[in-house]
Amino acid sequence: MGEQSTAKFPQDVLDEYAALGVDLPALFSAGHLGTRMGVQIVEASSDRVVGTMPVEGNTQPYGLLHGGASAVLAETLGSIGAMLHGGSKKLAVGVDLNCTHHRGARSGLVTGVATPVHRGRSTATYEIVITDEQDNRVCSARLTCMLRDSAPQTLTG
């Protein structure tokens, strides 16, 4: 648990960041928290971001997937989409996250899919649908990120 797989990025996006000396898959990983929770980024573009997370190790006292764990997965996926939309000269900062928990999950993997609702110059909003292995909706989330100008050194350090 916690080992990052290599996400699939469009080649033109990989090339843009590589020209800046930035390892894009590392930059858009789930970070330390996501790694600890076992988040895996499967696919990433500004049109669609997919990731998985194990239920085991991310439960509340009743043995169900913790709502905060769903929020971490949702914010991770939506933030990646917003960053890819903003491009290498923007930094996405989450300003609003809303999660509705529909049903519990007790085992297996959950999968989140983030798709854009709005992609503007200064904000990006993504809907994130989290499902269990039987394709039952566990959580619906919406994340809005502010897109701020970013100095190149922010991306690498």
Side-chain angles (χ1 to χ4, degrees):
M1 183 162 100
E3 194 173 299
Q4 283 293 319
S5 63
T6 302
K8 297 174 186 159
F9 293 95
Q11 190 59 51
D12 61 326
V13 174
L14 285 170
D15 294 343
E16 176 185 355
Y17 282 85
L20 298 171
V22 176
D23 178 359
L24 187 64
L27 179 65
F28 292 118
S29 74
H32 294 295
L33 177 60
T35 298
R36 188 174 319 141
M37 296 178 70
V39 173
Q40 299 283 317
I41 306 304
V42 176
E43 171 187 334
S45 74
S46 65
D47 293 324
R48 177 179 154 96
V49 182
V50 180
T52 62
M53 180 179 66
V55 173
E56 184 180 348
N58 294 313
T59 58
Q60 38 89 310
Y62 296 120
L64 299 170
L65 178 65
H66 195 291
S70 293
V72 167
L73 179 59
E75 185 147 359
T76 299
L77 300 178
S79 293
I80 290 170
M83 286 292 289
L84 288 170
H85 163 66
S88 61
K89 294 181 175 49
K90 295 286 186 174
L91 178 68
V93 180
V95 295
D96 181 64
L97 175 65
N98 174 281
C99 298
T100 301
H101 307 288
H102 304 291
R103 68 176 355 161
R106 292 189 177 276
S107 63
L109 285 177
V110 291
T111 299
V113 179
T115 54
V117 173
H118 165 78
R119 291 183 288 188
R121 287 177 298 177
S122 61
T123 62
T125 301
Y126 280 77
E127 176 186 41
I128 304 93
V129 174
I130 300 173
T131 57
D132 63 17
E133 291 180 316
Q134 290 73 44
D135 207 29
N136 296 310
R137 189 178 289 223
V138 173
C139 177
S140 297
R142 186 192 67 247
L143 174 71
T144 297
C145 290
M146 179 174 49
L147 300 173
R148 300 183 59 180
D149 290 334
S150 176
Q153 65 269 21
T154 303
L155 295 173
T156 59

